[in-house]
Amino acid sequence: MMEHKKIVVIGAGIVGCSIAYYLSKMGQRNITVIEQGPLLETGGSTSHAPGLVFQLSFSKILTTLASQTVETFKELSIDEQHSFYPVGSLEVARTPERLEDLKRKAGVASSWGIEAFLLSPQECAEKNSLICADRICGGLYVPSDGIAKPLHAVDKMTRFSKECGVEFYGHTEVTDIEVTKGQVKAVYTSAGKFEADVIVCCAGFWGPRIGEMVGVTIPLQPMAHQYVFTNDLIELNGETEEAATPLIRDQDNSIYFRQVEKGLGIGSYQHEPFPVELSDITKYEETKEMPSVKPFTPKDFEKPWEDSIELIPALKQTGIKKGMNGIFSFTPDGMPLLGESQTVQGFWVAEAIWVTHSAGVAKQMAEWMMNGAPTVDLELCDINRFDTYACSPAYYKQRSIEEYEEVYSIHHPFMQRKVSRNMRVSPFYMRQQELKAYFNEKAGWEQPQWYEANYPLISTYEKMMVIRNGWAGEYWSPIIEAEHLHTRQHAALYDTTAAKKRLEIKGEGALQFLQKLTTGNIDIAVGQSIRTCMLHERGGIKDQITVIRKDISTFLIVCTGAVEASWIRKHVPQSNQVVFQDVTSGTCSVALIGPKATEVMKSMVQRSDLSNTWIEGQAKTLFIENVSVLALRDSCGGMESWELITTSDQGLNLWDLLMEEGQPYQLIAGGDRALENLRIESFSLKSGKDFWSEHHPYEVDLHEMVDLTKPVFIGKEALLDRQRKDSETVLATLILDDPSAIVMGYEPVFYGETTLGFVTSAGYSYTLGKGIVHTLLSQAVNEEMVLEVEYFGQRYKATMMTHSPAVV
C-alpha cells in the first residue's frame, strides 16, 4: 500500500486524470497532477481524439482494457453530459479475404466474452443506412461499442479527484526530475519543486522527453494521422444527438467513420506515414491550434475521400468542412508501455495509450501500484519487455512506423516483420544461413522457423504428413512437419538461444533470496535442477522457471523473457550478498531431442559422464571436445532431450561438433515451429502461453511446484486465500475428433451455444493422428460433455484428455 507516499502524475489527459481518479477511489491520498497545457483541454491527443471505441481485437488484454474503459465511461454518463454514446460498431468487409477475417474475429469475440454478430451486406445497411450494401461482402456488428467523450470523462474524474484532495496544476512545465540512488525524489517545474516518492509519466507523445530526465528510454514514435469533419448530410438532418448511428470501420481501405451531429468524422490510415519529431512539436501558446495537431494535407486525403464516397454515397452531395493531421503515439509492437521502470525505482510509465483503452489501463495501473500487481495480466504491455536493442531510435522508430502502416492489415500470427531485423543473432546464425533457414524474429533474435535444406525429408515422410491449407497454410512449409516427424524417429538439434532468458544469481545470500522468490524448495544438491513458480503479490503466476544449482552459492535461472528477468532483478536485495547477472547475450543454448539424442551425446563425451546415474533433471558441466558445456538431461514427449548451454564464443564450435558427430544418427537441424508442435503434442504447457499471471498454481495443475512448508515466499498468503476459493478456470487438453481439423489458437470452445473458454495453444499430434489443443475453460466443464471448437465459423467436435498435461 502507498498511503503515505507522495505521488506526482505528469500529464492531465485522459490517462493521467483516470489514474488519479482510480487511485483516489482506492483511498490513496497525496496526489498531485501536473500539466504543461491548460486544464482540461490540454492540447495533447485527448483533446482531438475522435473517441471511437472498437473494443474487440485479437489481443485478449487490449479487448479487456477496452471493455473496462467502456464500463467506466458509461458509469460517468450519469447526466446530460455524455461520456459515452453506446451506438455500436460495424466492421465491413470489402473483400472475401476480409470477410473470412471477420469470421475469425467473431470467434475471438466469443473467446473474450464480447457479443458480436456476423451480418449480411443488407443487414449492415439496416444498422447504418448510410452504407451502400452493394459495395460490401458483409460485416461484424458489436452492439456494445461506441463513442467516448474523453473531455467529458476527464471533467467528471477531476471533480471527484479534487474532492478527495488531488491537486491539479495547469500551465506547469516539468523541467527536471531528481533521482537519488536510483529512487525518484522530486519533480522540478516552472511552478516550483514537487517532492515525490512515485512519479507516473502520462505525458503522451511527450513521454520520451520525461523519460530522458531520469535516464529511461520510452520507445514510442509520435505519428500524425488524417481526420476530417464533413459538412451536414441531408440523411442526418433529423438527428438530435451528437451520435446515434453505429461506427463504421472499412479496414480494406484503412478508413473509419463516426457521426458528428449532422455530419461525419472520417479518419484515414491510407496515407504515407507522417512520423513527427518531438523537437517539431510546439508548445500550447506557440501555435494557432493545439500542439497535437499538424496542418491538414488535402492531397493525402483525395483517395480516401473517393473510397468513402463509394461506401457512403451520401458524401458525394457534401464536402469536407475541416481537416487535421492529429498526432498520437505508436510503439514497436503496437502495445502500450506500462509499469515501473526496472532502472529507476518509483518511476512509473503509462504511455502510448489510446482513448479506447484509457480508463481500463488506469484502473489496472492503480491496482498495480496499490496492491503490487494488477488484476489482469499486463506482461505484453510492460515497459520492461524490451531488451537494450529496442532502446535504439533506429529500432523503435522504424518498427513504430511499420505498425502504423500495418494497423488495418489482416494480421497472421506468423507474419514476418520487415524492418529492424538482424538486431540479434546467435553464434549458429552462419550455419543456419547455409542451411537456408526461414527466419522470424523473437525478442530481437533471428530465430529459424524451418530449414529449406531439409526439403528432401518431405519425400520420406509425406505419406504421414498433414498438409495445411488456407489460413493455417500461410507462413508455413511442409518441411515443418518433416522436421517434427524426423525428430520423433531420429534426432534434431534446435537453437533455443532466443527461447528463454538465462540469469546467474550468486553470493552468500543467493539461496535465501531464491527461497523467498519461488514456491519450491531451492535448497537442492549441486548439479540438480528444479522447476518452480514465481508468484506476484496477489498470488498469480509471474513465471514458471527452471533453477539449476551450479555450486553452493551459484544458481542459473532460466525464465521466460525480459519482463520476468526485470521482475527478478527488482526483488534482488540491496546488498553485496546477492549478485544478479543477465548472461543471455553472453551464452547460447541448443536442445538435442529425439530417441537417438543420448547416442549422439555418448559418441562425444566419456561414458562415465553419461552414466545411468545421470537422472532426468540433473545438470553437469562437461566437455564436448574442447567446448565447456552445462548439460541438463530432460525429456520431451517421452523422448530423450539434452539442453546444452555454453558461452557465445564457443557456440559455433559446439554446433559444428554436434552436427558432424550426429551424422551417423541422422541428426538434422530443426526449426522453432517443429519444436513448438512437439511441445504441444507432448501435452506440455507453457508459461505466458497457456497460463499467465491471472492464474494461480492450483488453478493450472502446478500444485507440485508449491512447497507450503516454506515459511515465506512472495505471494504465499494471497495464494492460500485464493486456494480456499472456487477456481473460475481449468486447463484442459482437447483432441479434435476430425483427423483433418487444424486450428491456430484463441478459438472459442462451445458446449451447445454456451462459450466455455478458448484455445491457448494449437498443434497436431502425429502420435494420435489428430489435432490437439490446450484450452482454458470454465470449471463447469466435465469429461462427458460434447465440446466443440469453432474455427472460421465452422465447429469441430473435441474430446477432453483425461490426464493432466506436463509443464515446460
Side-chain angles (χ1 to χ4, degrees):
M1 298 293 285
M2 299 177 10
E3 291 91 338
H4 302 297
K5 292 190 176 182
K6 296 183 178 70
I7 301 176
V8 174
V9 178
I10 300 174
I14 184 61
V15 177
C17 289
S18 295
I19 288 177
Y21 171 73
Y22 272 109
L23 285 172
S24 298
K25 287 189 76 172
M26 294 181 72
Q28 178 63 39
R29 299 298 179 258
N30 298 322
I31 303 171
T32 303
V33 180
I34 296 171
E35 169 57 49
Q36 66 176 346
L39 301 171
L40 292 165
E41 193 167 344
T42 63
S45 302
T46 301
S47 304
H48 69 71
L52 287 77
V53 179
F54 290 90
Q55 298 167 84
L56 183 59
S57 80
F58 289 103
S59 164
K60 184 178 187 295
I61 181 57
L62 289 184
T63 302
T64 300
L65 294 173
S67 298
Q68 292 183 352
T69 298
V70 168
E71 290 173 13
T72 299
F73 284 5
K74 286 170 76 172
E75 289 170 5
L76 295 171
S77 292
I78 55 176
D79 52 33
E80 294 180 0
Q81 191 184 54
H82 293 287
S83 294
F84 188 75
Y85 289 93
V87 296
S89 74
L90 283 164
E91 288 191 61
V92 297
R94 298 276 205 123
T95 64
E97 292 80 12
R98 181 69 65 176
L99 186 61
E100 285 300 299
D101 195 54
L102 292 183
K103 289 179 183 178
R104 184 170 68 105
K105 203 166 191 177
V108 166
S110 296
S111 296
W112 305 160
I114 299 288
E115 189 178 39
F117 304 93
L118 282 166
L119 302 182
S120 68
Q122 192 56 46
E123 288 172 325
C124 289
E126 289 170 5
K127 291 292 182 185
N128 191 321
S129 59
L130 296 174
I131 293 173
C132 177
D134 295 340
R135 298 298 184 186
I136 62 175
C137 302
L140 183 69
Y141 176 60
V142 178
S144 59
D145 284 348
I147 296 171
K149 299 294 292 181
L151 292 178
H152 292 176
V154 163
D155 180 49
K156 292 169 185 175
M157 288 175 173
T158 53
R159 286 187 208 172
F160 176 87
S161 299
K162 286 177 179 178
E163 290 174 0
C164 296
V166 177
E167 295 184 335
F168 288 80
Y169 291 82
H171 296 291
T172 303
E173 183 179 358
V174 176
T175 56
D176 199 8
I177 295 174
E178 180 184 337
V179 178
T180 304
K181 294 182 179 179
Q183 165 70 51
V184 297
K185 291 296 182 182
V187 179
Y188 292 89
T189 76
S190 56
K193 176 182 176 182
F194 295 85
E195 292 184 354
D197 302 302
V198 174
I199 295 171
V200 192
C201 180
C202 309
F205 49 74
W206 285 289
R209 187 174 293 165
I210 302 299
E212 287 175 6
M213 295 178 184
V214 296
V216 172
T217 299
I218 298 178
L220 65 80
Q221 174 62 51
M223 302 287 293
H225 166 67
Q226 287 206 305
Y227 187 71
V228 304
F229 297 91
T230 73
N231 292 311
D232 291 353
L233 278 70
I234 296 172
E235 289 79 2
L236 296 176
N237 265 345
E239 292 292 350
T240 57
E241 291 280 358
E242 177 185 339
T245 59
L247 314 173
I248 304 170
R249 188 153 61 178
D250 175 9
Q251 296 196 83
D252 290 308
N253 287 312
S254 300
I255 314 170
Y256 59 81
F257 307 82
R258 59 151 292 185
Q259 179 191 344
V260 184
E261 297 175 343
K262 293 179 172 58
L264 293 182
I266 307 174
S268 168
Y269 290 94
Q270 205 178 108
H271 56 80
E272 288 292 314
F274 300 147
V276 180
E277 295 303 316
L278 270 178
S279 57
D280 295 332
I281 300 175
T282 56
K283 296 182 180 180
Y284 197 94
E285 63 275 4
E286 296 173 355
T287 180
K288 292 180 181 178
E289 292 199 66
M290 62 187 76
S292 58
V293 172
K294 287 289 185 181
F296 185 58
T297 49
K299 186 171 179 55
D300 294 299
F301 204 75
E302 289 175 0
K303 179 64 167 58
W305 182 247
E306 291 175 9
D307 294 332
S308 298
I309 291 173
E310 187 178 54
L311 181 64
I312 301 177
L315 290 172
K316 195 170 186 179
Q317 310 305 320
T318 185
I320 297 171
K321 179 168 57 177
K322 179 186 176 184
M324 64 176 175
N325 288 356
I327 304 172
F328 62 150
S329 302
F330 272 75
T331 62
D333 57 4
M335 300 297 282
L337 303 168
L338 309 177
E340 185 179 18
S341 164
Q342 66 171 332
T343 55
V344 181
Q345 191 173 352
F347 186 76
W348 289 73
V349 172
E351 293 288 358
I353 300 156
W354 295 4
V355 169
T356 303
H357 312 107
S358 55
V361 164
K363 184 173 186 285
Q364 296 303 321
M365 284 286 290
E367 291 181 356
W368 196 350
M369 294 167 71
M370 295 288 283
N371 301 329
T375 304
V376 302
D377 186 282
L378 293 178
E379 304 257 324
L380 295 176
C381 308
D382 196 306
I383 182 67
N384 301 305
R385 67 186 179 272
F386 301 112
D387 279 323
T388 51
Y389 70 91
C391 296
S392 161
Y395 173 85
Y396 68 76
K397 287 178 180 289
Q398 289 184 50
R399 274 288 173 92
S400 299
I401 291 170
E402 185 181 41
E403 277 292 325
Y404 184 93
E405 292 175 319
E406 302 289 345
V407 68
Y408 275 1
S409 297
I410 295 174
H411 293 271
H412 193 280
F414 294 110
M415 189 165 69
Q416 280 264 25
R417 301 304 297 257
K418 302 181 185 69
V419 302
S420 297
R421 295 297 297 269
N422 299 310
M423 300 289 292
R424 311 169 89 179
V425 296
S426 77
F428 323 125
Y429 183 65
M430 184 191 310
R431 296 293 181 261
Q432 292 164 348
Q433 286 181 307
E434 292 169 0
L435 294 171
K436 299 179 181 177
Y438 178 89
F439 289 100
N440 213 331
E441 180 257 338
K442 179 177 182 179
W445 295 92
E446 293 298 313
Q447 191 172 43
Q449 303 299 292
W450 65 83
Y451 294 92
E452 290 293 333
N454 289 329
Y455 185 84
L457 292 176
I458 294 175
S459 60
T460 304
Y461 298 106
E462 60 185 345
K463 290 183 180 179
M464 304 166 61
M465 282 170 27
V466 171
I467 302 301
R468 298 178 179 234
N469 298 302
W471 183 252
E474 293 186 28
Y475 303 97
W476 173 87
S477 169
I479 297 171
I480 297 168
E481 313 302 316
E483 291 175 352
H484 177 140
L485 288 163
H486 190 86
T487 305
R488 279 274 175 213
Q489 294 198 17
H490 302 284
L493 187 66
Y494 293 93
D495 179 2
T496 56
T497 302
K500 299 279 188 176
K501 272 277 191 181
R502 294 172 292 281
L503 315 172
E504 192 169 82
I505 309 290
K506 60 184 178 180
E508 292 179 12
L511 176 60
Q512 183 181 357
F513 166 63
L514 290 173
Q515 290 286 46
K516 182 180 179 182
L517 186 76
T518 67
T519 59
N521 184 1
I522 309 302
D523 195 7
I524 53 179
V526 172
Q528 293 295 322
S529 71
I530 182 173
R531 285 185 178 141
T532 184
C533 291
M534 300 187 300
L535 307 183
H536 60 49
E537 287 79 354
R538 294 170 63 95
I541 302 167
K542 191 67 182 176
D543 196 14
Q544 188 270 319
I545 64 174
T546 298
V547 181
I548 301 170
R549 193 168 196 173
K550 297 174 71 175
D551 61 41
I552 290 296
S553 58
T554 304
F555 298 82
L556 183 70
I557 311 297
V558 183
C559 66
T560 296
V563 171
E564 293 74 20
S566 71
W567 193 81
I568 294 172
R569 183 197 296 267
K570 175 184 175 181
H571 287 85
V572 172
Q574 298 296 313
S575 71
N576 56 9
Q577 290 191 321
V578 180
V579 178
F580 171 100
Q581 186 178 8
D582 186 338
V583 297
T584 307
S585 297
T587 56
C588 57
S589 64
V590 292
L592 180 61
I593 303 172
K596 296 183 179 178
T598 298
E599 292 182 54
V600 175
M601 286 292 290
K602 285 179 178 178
S603 71
M604 305 185 71
V605 300
Q606 296 182 15
R607 286 190 175 273
S608 59
D609 286 336
L610 293 177
S611 65
N612 293 330
T613 60
W614 192 342
I615 60 174
E616 184 178 320
Q618 195 168 3
K620 291 183 181 180
T621 298
L622 49 79
F623 281 96
I624 295 178
E625 293 288 345
N626 62 342
V627 180
S628 177
V629 173
L630 177 63
L632 174 64
R633 190 169 191 170
D634 209 341
S635 65
C636 176
M639 298 180 293
E640 287 284 346
S641 172
W642 295 85
E643 186 79 14
L644 307 175
I645 302 171
T646 190
T647 52
S648 293
D649 60 324
Q650 292 197 295
L652 185 59
N653 195 9
L654 175 64
W655 178 279
D656 288 344
L657 288 167
L658 288 165
M659 292 300 292
E660 182 179 351
E661 292 297 322
Q663 284 184 15
Y665 306 97
Q666 300 187 53
L667 178 69
I668 63 166
D672 191 58
R673 296 283 291 278
L675 183 60
E676 174 68 356
N677 204 52
L678 284 166
R679 174 188 76 81
I680 297 167
E681 183 187 33
S682 64
F683 313 120
S684 297
L685 302 173
K686 190 174 183 179
S687 179
K689 177 71 173 175
D690 299 304
F691 57 87
W692 41 89
S693 65
E694 294 172 22
H695 308 111
H696 62 78
Y698 296 101
E699 198 171 25
V700 293
D701 296 321
L702 299 186
H703 51 277
E704 292 182 358
M705 295 186 184
V706 180
D707 182 357
L708 291 177
T709 65
K710 288 172 62 172
V712 64
F713 56 79
I714 296 171
K716 181 179 180 181
E717 293 304 315
L719 175 63
L720 291 171
D721 184 55
R722 292 177 70 172
Q723 182 191 8
R724 287 189 284 266
K725 300 174 182 176
D726 290 335
S727 176
E728 296 180 0
T729 58
V730 61
L731 270 169
T733 299
L734 310 182
I735 305 300
L736 302 178
D737 293 355
D738 184 346
S740 64
I742 295 175
V743 302
M744 295 286 288
Y746 300 148
E747 294 85 4
V749 179
F750 285 94
Y751 174 59
E753 294 307 309
T754 303
T755 307
L756 292 183
F758 59 91
V759 173
T760 56
S761 295
Y764 190 85
S765 170
Y766 282 101
T767 306
L768 299 172
K770 293 181 179 181
I772 179 173
V773 296
H774 301 317
T775 63
L776 277 171
L777 306 178
S778 71
Q779 278 284 26
V781 71
N782 63 64
E783 293 166 12
E784 279 133 33
M785 289 179 172
V786 178
L787 303 178
E788 294 177 301
V789 177
E790 185 177 285
Y791 181 66
F792 284 90
Q794 184 174 352
R795 295 197 181 179
Y796 297 98
K797 290 184 178 178
T799 303
M800 190 184 302
M801 295 291 292
T802 55
H803 65 276
S804 297
V807 179
V808 296

